[in-house]
Amino acid sequence: MRAGLWALPAYGVLLGLGTLTHQPPVDDFDAYARYVTTDVFLLSHLGGSVFGAALAILGAAAVTVHLGYRRGAVVGLVLTTVANVFLASAFGSAAFVQPGIGRAHLAGVPGMAALNDDTAYGPALFATALSASFLLMVAAVVLGTAIARSDPRLRWPGVAYAVLIPVFVLAGQTVEVAQPLAGFAFAVATAVLAVRLPYFSASSRRSTSSAVL
């Protein structure tokens, strides 16, 4: 499971790379259609978002194992898994629906803006994405707190985990330029975690064995 810890830095890198560019507002539908038909849009959703969600789950699972299945870590893992499954469905839908609508609009098919509002930006997708994003922030706070409280050596990586995911999510709706910075900062913090956490878990096992003897 030690290798699984490195799924989190990889997840952070994908978050950063996937948000270096942002799609234009839907109000400018011509620019929006041109953007969602690019390879950058497709790769950022399939690679950065969908594959990234899988890495986030694997990384959270590895952290939970190394923390000895502490209650806070288990709760954080459960919340992380549920949030990322729902987010993957939302981003997967965007990856496959929006490019088709964009290509149809650029080809002159009428009514694509209305169709986009009813599908790619419909109420069901909004409800799924917003609730999952909120749950992802809660999951980060819970798991990050469990990491920070486990050992003084893990305090700042745990705090960074708890803070940077909410910052990343909220920046996407407010200060978009800060979003990739939060993603790359998360990659750095979790890389430190991936280095330090195995030593913490090994020392914990030695302490437990000594206590038993």
Side-chain angles (χ1 to χ4, degrees), residues 10-167:
Y11 169 55
V13 170
L14 289 178
L15 290 179
L17 292 175
T19 52
L20 288 173
T21 62
H22 291 84
Q23 68 185 34
V26 182
D27 294 341
D28 186 357
F29 202 74
D30 285 341
Y32 167 84
R34 286 192 294 271
Y35 181 82
V36 299
T37 54
T38 62
D39 292 338
V40 169
F41 175 85
L42 185 62
L43 288 174
S44 69
H45 280 65
L46 292 181
S49 300
V50 178
F51 182 58
L55 292 177
I57 294 171
L58 293 174
V63 168
T64 303
V65 171
H66 280 280
L67 290 179
Y69 298 97
R70 297 186 181 204
R71 180 179 299 177
V74 171
V75 173
L77 170 60
V78 171
L79 295 176
T80 298
T81 301
V82 174
N84 277 287
V85 167
F86 277 90
L87 282 173
S89 72
F91 283 112
S93 172
F96 300 122
V97 172
Q98 288 174 251
I101 292 175
R103 284 191 293 270
H105 174 78
L106 295 175
V109 178
M112 288 300 101
L115 180 62
N116 188 73
D117 289 341
D118 188 50
T119 54
Y121 280 80
L125 186 138
F126 258 114
T128 300
L130 289 177
S131 59
S133 295
F134 174 75
L135 191 60
L136 182 66
M137 292 190 288
V138 174
V141 172
V142 173
L143 185 54
T145 300
I147 295 168
R149 289 178 174 175
S150 62
D151 188 273
R153 294 166 293 179
L154 303 177
R155 185 165 294 130
W156 87 256
V159 171
Y161 192 110
V163 170
L164 289 171
I165 290 297
V167 168

Side-chain angles (χ1 to χ4, degrees), residues 202-213:
S203 62
S204 296
R205 286 194 297 269
R206 285 195 296 270
S207 298
T208 302
S209 299
S210 299
V212 171
L213 293 174

